[in-house]
Amino acid sequence: MRKPLIAVAVAGATVLGAWTAAVAEYPSDTVRIIVPWRAGGGTDTIARGFAAALEEQIDQAVVVDNLTGGNGNRAHMHMKKAKPDGLQILLNGSSDMNSAIIFQNTPYNYDDFACLGAIYRTPTWILAHRDSGITSIDQFFEAARSTPGELTVGVGSLASAHNVLAQALMGVNGIDARVIPFDGGGPLKKAILGNQVSIGVIHSPVLLDAVKSGDVNVIGSGGGLADIVYEPVRDAETIDAHGVGVEIGTVRGLFVPKDTPEELLAAASALMEKAAKSEAFASFGVKFGFKPIWWDRKTHCDFMAEENAAYRKIKADYID
Amino acid sequence: MVDGLLEAFAGTAAFWPLLYILVGTVLGILVGALPGLSSPMAIIVLLPITYTMETVSAFQLMIGIYVGTKLGGSYASILLRTPGTPAAACTALDGFPMAEKGRAGEAIGYSVMSSTMGGLFGWVVAVSFVPFIASVALHSEPADIALIGIAGLVLVSAFVRGSMVRGLIGVLLGLLIASVGYDLQDGVERYTFSHPMLASGLPFAAVLVGFFGITVVLSDLEMIGRRSEIAARTSEIRLPSPAAFFRRWRAWSIGTGYGVVVGAIPGVGADGSTFLSYATVRNQSRNPPPEAFGTGVPEGIIAPESSNNATTGGTMIPMLTLGIPGDGSTAVMLGAMILHGLEPGVMLMQNNAPLVYAILVAILVATVMMFFVGWGASRAIIRVLRQERSLLFPFIIVFASIGAFAADNGPFPIYVALACGVAGFFLEKCGFSVVTIVLGAVLGPIIEYNVRLGLAYSNGDWAVFVDTWPRMLLCAVIVLLVSNEIWRATRARPAGTGAGLDKGSETT
């Protein structure tokens, strides 16, 4: 009778030992950063910059895995079911996740994941081509009021922070202009550069090069641009000044499955913090055009909840 | 500009730059030849290795891959009828029948020559008319792109000449396949049956390898079932002569022209230009007659292959001068620029002119290298076909599955490919052409998205499709194409016999 008990005890001790060891030597294997979007986009570029910075901190390889499809569905469902060993980490923008959840009734929610911390905060900004003659939000309002329903507002897609910003700004101020959804940021970028839309709403720092060359003007922003490397646009007008009470942008954060043990979460988060604050990532920030940030687990998770509630309210008030 | 290019040539003519381009080109041809591996994928995998390299070297390597995959893609199309990319699908139409007749050497040879010529001429045109190409990319409005797509669809339905109804049904099936998924403009889910994997639509690469590769295996298996021997083929290793190639100047000049201009339009690119040039060359061809296309005529390889490589120049210009990616590879290269500390976009030419010129020179050098590597390798590649034909089936199935799997890094696309293969098999038995379905699926989303976007621009006013000279011209072309088809059909009917009616349906 004793033998089984001992066996259980030994097994238990082994598991416990292995567990503590797993936490102590985290990560014990290759780390995969899961990106729900195609290679070459903003989130993907940040993921690759962060992967290089993280690799310097650990003895393991860090790879970026683009699990695309279903407007992010595939990557999120994959993460929801993933083993909670901290070796697979989802990197996604807060507003990309929240707008999919709110507009598309996704089979996952933001609280299906545990937050590891956030590494980038980029407001959504409003751009207009030099030839459009629009250089400020007020000017856009004025033009829209004199020709109701004529001006166009380009957004990356309906289920995006771009659309939330456009609808909130116009809804609060009673503006009648047509929102045109594009097939993602790439085609929208082209339409703004080609002066085919009156204004375009897109994540900063997309088209920063055209802003620097003077082809495109920043007429407003969903939030403060203090972290942008290019100084002349730092004091761009925010939508807050036009009655939209929330900040709209995207916070790129790291997520793991919800049932990841607390010790592992703490160990992983500490490591992510080191990588986010490293010199390598700071120099990536200079290339990317934006300074990285570090938000701890709680700040990150609280923000996800706040943003979700704010978007839900905007959708109920101005879109539905 | 000429000074800049000459300087870049001088800089490239050294051991290391040439080696980087050569390694990239060889890798590219290999990657392209394997269905499922694509140029963006190869570039992304190599990206971390390039962090420690000089920026110019990194891009020389990437450009080599980009150019090489364009040729490599045709190998699998010709030998296995399993295109790894939509752009290579067109080459399967005549390349595979040609290989079946034991003329794989010719097929590969024509592919190598037309890819090279297309690449070289495309480059010269693109570099000579940088402002024009950039302006095509920037000022092509949704209405223009929609009309180009519709003209393409009309050309396509003529693929099954004699049975335009079957052609149109095929195209409509293609449109149906392409309409599955989350609709971006209204946010409505179409034909998804609440399945999350269907929300982003049927993976196109899977549809492609299914309709082409798996369908052909099923047709051949059926022949085994009937105990009719599959003739053992002795493939000749004879390569075509340059004279035979240059005699067909019409096919490669049309292919190249489409490649540069249509390739420069973001979102249409090589996928659209190969099919458009194939259809154009086919429709205006006297010798061989249009009916012969699809049975293994060199023109059917030359047009799409020259077009495919000519797009390298066409897509590179908007990427370098405007920061607008034309396809997956250029999107990845733009990301790579940021990671290498560059700022892609309208300022790149001002701030990093030497790099821009070096990239342009690398395309040219890679194209020349691609010729020698491709030509040298063709003999080895043809040996594949000297095997017993049934030995190829498992390979086609395996490569088609890998190709489908890689579309989404998951098993779902494999099911889609198998379903499309079975559907394609039965449709071909009923006299439909799977090409029309694939073309409908390629052009459908381009047309739908741009028609709706065009109408959104104009606030619902259809006059947007005739309000500029180029658009009126395009509309006139479409009307002419349709009336030409109707005229041919009415003229052919009294003289035509039942046998003539089904002839075109063999053009798969």
Side-chain angles (χ1 to χ4, degrees), chain A residues 292-309:
Chain A
I293 56 156
W294 174 252
W295 278 4
D296 61 20
R297 287 158 54 196
K298 187 170 180 320
T299 318
H300 181 204
C301 263
D302 289 350
F303 179 81
M304 288 304 294
E306 268 167 44
E307 188 187 75
N308 189 285

Side-chain angles (χ1 to χ4, degrees), chain A residues 24-297:
Chain A
E25 56 187 53
Y26 172 83
S28 55
D29 206 340
T30 303
V31 176
R32 281 171 73 198
I33 297 183
I34 312 280
V35 174
W37 315 107
R38 267 178 295 201
T43 306
D44 175 76
T45 307
I46 291 176
R48 287 173 199 282
F50 188 70
L54 183 59
E55 213 162 29
E56 281 188 6
Q57 304 290 328
I58 57 178
D59 292 333
Q60 299 290 344
V62 182
V63 295
V64 176
D65 202 347
N66 303 83
L67 279 189
T68 60
N71 195 32
N73 254 355
R74 203 164 137 244
H76 289 96
M77 291 312 287
H78 171 86
M79 277 312 284
K80 199 176 155 179
K81 295 180 207 148
K83 230 166 103 184
D85 55 7
L87 294 178
Q88 295 193 60
I89 300 170
L90 173 77
L91 174 68
N92 198 11
S94 58
S95 61
D96 296 319
M97 198 195 278
N98 273 327
S99 44
I101 291 169
I102 290 165
F103 287 95
Q104 293 172 325
N105 290 318
T106 51
Y108 61 87
N109 206 336
Y110 66 90
D111 53 14
D112 284 330
F113 309 101
C115 308
L116 278 189
I119 55 173
Y120 250 101
R121 181 191 208 184
T122 49
T124 301
W125 63 7
I126 311 169
L127 304 175
H129 194 271
R130 182 183 49 196
D131 298 341
S132 71
I134 297 171
T135 53
S136 69
I137 296 179
D138 275 327
Q139 232 175 356
F140 167 69
F141 284 173
E142 220 170 277
R145 284 198 180 105
S146 60
T147 54
E150 281 303 307
L151 296 198
T152 50
V153 182
V155 296
S157 92
L158 284 182
S160 69
H162 311 163
N163 189 31
V164 171
L165 188 154
Q167 303 285 1
L169 184 65
M170 286 164 29
V172 169
N173 295 284
I175 296 300
D176 181 12
R178 288 179 286 129
V179 171
I180 301 182
F182 284 79
D183 187 8
L188 171 59
K189 208 167 125 178
K190 182 198 141 186
I192 298 171
L193 259 189
N195 192 23
Q196 292 172 8
V197 284
S198 313
I199 60 168
V201 184
I202 199 163
H203 289 325
S204 62
V206 177
L207 283 175
L208 179 61
D209 59 296
V211 171
K212 286 185 189 169
S213 73
D215 290 316
V216 166
N217 292 315
V218 179
I219 70 160
S221 171
L225 286 167
D227 286 335
I228 199 162
V229 173
Y230 185 60
E231 279 176 36
V233 295
R234 279 188 191 163
D235 53 355
E237 196 178 16
T238 62
I239 53 169
D240 206 27
H242 292 271
V244 182
V246 289
E247 213 174 273
I248 297 176
T250 197
V251 171
R252 262 86 170 208
L254 304 155
F255 302 87
V256 285
K258 190 166 60 176
D259 45 354
T260 309
E262 176 56 35
E263 306 85 57
L264 194 56
L265 277 178
S269 181
L271 203 56
M272 299 303 135
E273 181 175 0
K274 256 167 112 185
K277 290 179 173 169
S278 68
E279 202 140 302
F281 201 48
S283 72
F284 164 79
V286 175
K287 300 175 198 168
F288 188 70
F290 246 96
K291 275 185 222 154
I293 56 156
W294 174 252
W295 278 4
D296 61 20
R297 287 158 54 196

Side-chain angles (χ1 to χ4, degrees), chain B residues 454-476:
Chain B
L455 287 174
Y457 274 20
S458 71
N459 204 5
D461 185 359
W462 288 86
V464 70
F465 293 102
V466 286
D467 68 356
T468 64
W469 282 110
R471 284 177 213 170
M472 279 189 226
L473 196 73
L474 276 168
C475 283

